[in-house]
Amino acid sequence: MKDTLGIILAGGRGKRLYPITETMPKPICPVAGVPAAVRTVKAMQAAGIRRAVLTAGYRSEALEGITVPGMTVSAVCEEKPLGSAGGAKNAFTDAENALIVSGDAVFDFGLDEVLRRHGESGAEFSVVLVKAEDPTDFGCVSAENGFITRFYEKPAWDRAVSDLVNTGIYVASERIFSYIPEGAFFDFAADLFPLLVSEGIRIGGIETEGRWFDIGTLAGYHAANMYFTGGKSAVGRSKVSESPVRSVIMDGCRIEGRVSDSIICRNVNIGKGALIEKGCCIGEGSVIGAGARLSGAVLPPGSRIGKDERIMGYCFGGRREKLFDDFGISGKYGEGVSLSTAFRAGKALGAVSGGTAAVLDSGGAYAAAVADALSCGIRSTGGAVLRGKSGFAAESRYYAADTGLLTVFVSGGEDVCVSVYTVGGLPLTGRAEREAEKAFAFPPDEPKMPGAETLIPEGATAAERYAGFLRRCAGYLRGTALRIRGIGRAADALKAAAEAAGVTADGENAAEAIISDDGESAELITPAGRRLNFWQLTALAAEGEPYCVLPRACPQRLTEYLIRRGTGILLWDSTESVARDRAGECIYPHDGAAAVLRVMKRAADRKQTTDELAAGIPDMFVRTATVARGDGKARVIAELAGKESGDGGIRLRYPSGCVTVTPIRSGFRLLAEASSFEAAEEISALAEKRLTEK
């Protein structure tokens, strides 16, 4: 009878675990003193497996020495990268099943239970699943009755519908390997899973209760060590004069200073009185001088830090672990957003810009300095920069939509906000954000020649492009009466466009427009006193058009009304889509001035007052809110998604209306729509309570 073969995927470079993997492959990195691959081989042995094969690529010679008494352990070298599934195929030999474990995985649950449940399920291929607080860094899945119903590979928060994630541990029958091409790069998540689904092969989902860690990142590697030591330091064969706190100290080190919440690679010397604080990772063979102080710093192998030097960095546990927040890149100048942070952010954005990017700022010392640092960062990757000014967000969004360039807009005073716009004037996709986050953590190598910076010439500035766009939206409006309320730059742009079109601010039938400071929304008060919110303005502006591009979290009454009037709906979110591609042709759903001018032009063309034009627009009583939630957010999403999900995401339904719930980094964003403003506020409060009490 054929047995079960153990396969450990160990061929990767391990770039996310830099600088540790500069001198050792990830599978031999010690976790509480035991190499990760040895832990996995022992877990396989405990499950009754007697043969294990490691797929080897990077520093393959270091893997050949892995032995476990009672196990036959061998390594198969990959002459070229084969991907996760391709590597498993290359390692597979005659066996009934293969238990495949990613080299990133460290866990404490039994693999015997995994094999038993796989056999009982009848599945030919199974994925081991665990619940995660943050599913956005992993392959996220939905499962029902022991089988996976849908995969979401590293979703942004707005597309996360489950807290179940793929551990990179699989059980595959012999027949499954016939679907993997020989000698070709083939990935489990990207290639094999979709192929199996298309062939009608159901994929089992085995949810486990134990702990699992992805040690492919410094934070994950540190967390795994702390779990398996019970929160104590994991100290190898090293000389340490003062007990480190919650740290990993590898072999061959000599430490006379104090180390806390950090990772010290092999053969590092740390001088007397030196202080290595939270979030540091010191590369192999480095020397830290006496009295030096490091915090959140990542140092390559062989670094030399002099006596009493100070280095403050942003490694795991440092001051800024993630590049993006709910507002883009924001924080207080010098703290959350320093010039060094901005430079690194620029390098990260340069990695995803595709060549030329535009960097605009709203003026003022803080915004201009941060914009200059961002520009330098982009140029350091070889990318070119068009540098200029912009008064407000809507103007910058239009610049991105009009030019097709990745556009970075820096605004604010001491509290700085960096907004990033791409195709159609929309925020970056989730995939692009992940690429930028990766480049932020591990900046790309700098080319020999930096990119050029060019000032945006007169006649093509963001303000001039936007003014021309608004004039085209307005057309000829002589005799139209409109008062514009506001004192900011967005209001000034609307006033200028209206005046150029012949609009007057007087008259009995004058409507009144109120535009937001960022220019992204507006309201219109009709001569009869009806107050139209931005969603209603959008409905009026889109009515009769072939299609309208809207954010996925928008009122149902808006989409239902437009569909009844013959307008198609395209909804965009963080994923790449046709809606995103066409957003540049449909600016007004995120531009208050454009929406107001389109409505006024439509009324003028039909020779109607705005009251007459809006007579058929339904009331849309909408309230938006943000609910903070840290721990347990993914669990709440999972509980609600199965019961309340729909085409528009998660919707909580009440007798008087519904609340659309969109997960964001800091919690949830709510959009409540009901039969009255009071009812919208009431169900918004009910939803907030439900989301925070779960």
Side-chain angles (χ1 to χ4, degrees):
M1 183 177 178
K2 293 182 178 180
D3 61 355
T4 296
L5 174 69
I7 299 176
I8 301 174
L9 303 176
R13 176 72 172 76
K15 289 183 178 180
R16 296 182 301 155
L17 204 55
Y18 175 89
I20 301 173
T21 49
E22 282 292 284
T23 54
M24 68 168 69
K26 185 166 41 184
I28 67 167
C29 292
V31 176
V34 180
V38 172
R39 285 184 173 274
T40 300
V41 172
K42 287 182 175 180
M44 290 176 170
Q45 184 180 43
I49 296 173
R50 294 294 174 260
R51 293 188 298 140
V53 180
L54 288 86
T55 66
Y58 174 68
R59 293 187 175 271
S60 58
E61 70 282 356
L63 302 178
E64 295 173 359
I66 292 178
T67 59
V68 172
M71 285 286 287
T72 301
V73 183
S74 59
V76 176
C77 292
E78 297 179 5
E79 295 182 0
K80 62 179 181 179
L82 296 174
S84 54
K89 167 99 173 187
N90 190 50
F92 185 72
T93 56
D94 188 41
E96 181 179 5
N97 294 303
L99 177 61
I100 304 159
V101 180
S102 166
D104 293 338
V106 174
F107 49 91
D108 68 356
F109 48 81
L111 295 178
D112 53 342
E113 178 71 5
V114 169
L115 292 173
R116 182 187 67 78
R117 291 172 62 183
H118 169 76
E120 291 176 351
S121 72
E124 290 188 85
F125 187 87
S126 294
V127 181
V128 177
L129 310 172
V130 296
K131 290 182 176 179
E133 282 289 334
D134 183 353
T136 62
D137 286 333
F138 310 106
C140 181
V141 307
S142 296
E144 187 175 336
N145 299 323
F147 287 90
I148 292 172
T149 56
R150 196 167 178 185
F151 290 93
Y152 311 83
E153 185 59 22
K154 296 182 179 178
W157 272 112
D158 67 339
R159 298 297 285 164
V161 296
S162 171
D163 59 348
L164 286 175
V165 300
N166 176 2
T167 62
I169 302 173
Y170 312 109
V171 187
S173 70
E174 184 176 13
R175 188 170 82 94
I176 291 297
F177 288 93
S178 66
Y179 291 95
I180 304 173
E182 191 82 40
F185 188 95
F186 212 67
D187 184 74
F188 277 116
D191 302 310
L192 182 62
F193 294 173
L195 177 59
L196 295 182
V197 171
S198 70
E199 293 288 332
I201 298 175
R202 300 176 73 191
I203 299 175
I206 302 172
E207 183 180 346
T208 63
E209 298 297 327
R211 291 297 301 272
W212 164 84
F213 297 90
D214 172 10
I215 65 164
T217 67
L218 293 175
Y221 177 68
H222 182 266
N225 273 276
M226 293 307 98
Y227 175 76
F228 284 101
T229 61
K232 299 178 182 178
S233 290
V235 181
R237 294 185 295 274
S238 292
K239 295 181 179 179
V240 180
S241 62
E242 184 174 343
S243 296
V245 177
R246 291 180 52 83
S247 294
V248 180
I249 312 293
M250 297 188 189
D251 293 343
C253 296
R254 183 183 182 88
I255 299 176
E256 297 182 80
R258 188 172 6 138
V259 178
S260 64
D261 297 281
S262 293
I263 301 168
I264 311 299
C265 296
R266 297 179 298 193
N267 304 319
V268 170
N269 287 333
I270 298 177
K272 188 174 182 179
L275 182 59
I276 312 299
E277 296 182 301
K278 183 177 180 180
C280 291
C281 185
I282 312 301
E284 182 171 333
S286 295
V287 176
I288 311 300
R293 181 175 178 180
L294 283 66
S295 177
V298 55
L299 301 182
S303 295
R304 296 292 185 268
I305 305 300
K307 180 181 178 182
D308 296 326
E309 280 195 41
R310 299 289 187 267
I311 297 180
M312 310 296 283
Y314 304 94
C315 190
F316 78 96
R319 287 178 287 172
R320 190 173 193 115
E321 296 181 45
K322 294 285 188 178
L323 177 57
F324 295 99
D325 54 34
D326 292 329
F327 305 99
I329 306 169
S330 65
K332 190 169 289 295
Y333 178 82
E335 296 176 12
V337 181
S338 64
L339 294 183
S340 59
T341 305
F343 178 78
R344 290 182 64 224
K347 288 178 74 75
L349 294 173
V352 301
S353 68
T356 301
V359 178
L360 312 174
D361 72 81
S362 60
Y366 295 109
V370 169
D372 286 341
L374 282 160
S375 175
C376 288
I378 294 171
R379 293 173 58 209
S380 75
T381 67
V385 171
L386 289 175
R387 188 73 173 85
K389 299 289 183 181
S390 179
F392 49 97
E395 187 177 86
S396 299
R397 291 182 79 143
Y398 179 74
Y399 187 88
D402 192 39
T403 62
L405 296 176
L406 183 136
T407 299
V408 184
F409 173 54
V410 186
S411 60
E414 192 172 359
D415 292 314
V416 180
C417 182
V418 180
S419 303
V420 185
Y421 305 115
T422 184
V423 175
L426 301 183
L428 291 174
T429 63
R431 181 191 297 241
E433 282 198 358
R434 286 196 302 274
E435 291 176 359
E437 291 280 9
K438 186 185 298 184
F440 181 72
F442 305 105
D445 294 335
E446 296 181 10
K448 293 181 179 178
M449 180 66 70
E453 180 180 273
T454 306
L455 291 178
I456 299 173
E458 290 188 16
T461 65
E464 289 165 321
R465 287 177 181 270
Y466 187 66
F469 165 64
L470 293 185
R471 287 195 296 271
R472 293 191 295 275
C473 289
Y476 183 73
L477 293 174
R478 188 168 298 281
T480 299
L482 175 68
R483 289 188 293 273
I484 299 168
R485 190 192 304 176
I487 58 174
R489 296 179 185 177
D492 290 342
L494 176 55
K495 289 174 185 176
E499 290 173 5
V503 172
T504 65
D506 302 318
E508 294 181 3
N509 291 324
E512 183 175 15
I514 306 167
I515 190 164
S516 63
D517 289 344
D518 61 12
E520 295 185 346
S521 66
E523 294 181 338
L524 189 71
I525 303 174
T526 69
R530 185 181 181 189
R531 194 178 191 112
L532 302 173
N533 64 31
F534 187 57
W535 299 114
Q536 291 170 299
L537 274 180
T538 300
L540 282 173
E543 185 180 334
E545 296 295 322
Y547 62 88
C548 180
V549 182
L550 296 166
R552 184 168 293 278
C554 64
Q556 281 185 290
R557 290 200 112 188
L558 170 60
T559 57
E560 291 168 355
Y561 173 80
L562 289 176
I563 290 170
R564 286 198 306 270
R565 305 293 288 187
T567 298
I569 301 298
L570 296 173
L571 300 177
W572 66 268
D573 55 21
S574 62
T575 57
E576 296 166 354
S577 63
V578 173
R580 277 184 163 267
D581 293 339
R582 295 189 177 178
E585 304 165 16
C586 189
I587 298 294
Y588 54 87
H590 52 249
D591 192 296
V596 167
L597 292 172
R598 281 179 65 93
V599 169
M600 299 307 297
K601 187 176 189 308
R602 183 155 289 175
D605 290 346
R606 297 182 182 181
K607 296 182 171 51
Q608 293 179 317
T609 66
T610 49
D611 281 296
E612 292 168 336
L613 182 69
I617 294 291
D619 289 329
M620 298 181 193
F621 299 109
V622 178
R623 183 182 187 276
T624 58
T626 300
V627 178
R629 175 87 192 223
D631 294 345
K633 180 172 56 178
R635 176 176 52 81
V636 173
I637 294 170
E639 291 176 7
L640 294 178
K643 306 173 186 176
E644 310 283 356
S645 61
D647 290 340
I650 299 173
R651 283 204 168 101
L652 308 181
R653 303 183 186 279
Y654 301 91
S656 60
C658 69
V659 181
T660 300
V661 180
T662 303
I664 56 177
R665 291 175 177 84
S666 61
F668 303 97
R669 186 171 290 127
L670 310 183
L671 187 149
E673 49 183 316
S675 55
S676 67
F677 284 123
E678 292 76 16
E681 289 185 357
E682 180 182 357
I683 63 174
S684 180
L686 290 172
E688 181 174 349
K689 183 177 180 181
R690 184 173 179 182
L691 293 168
T692 53
E693 286 186 348
K694 276 186 170 292

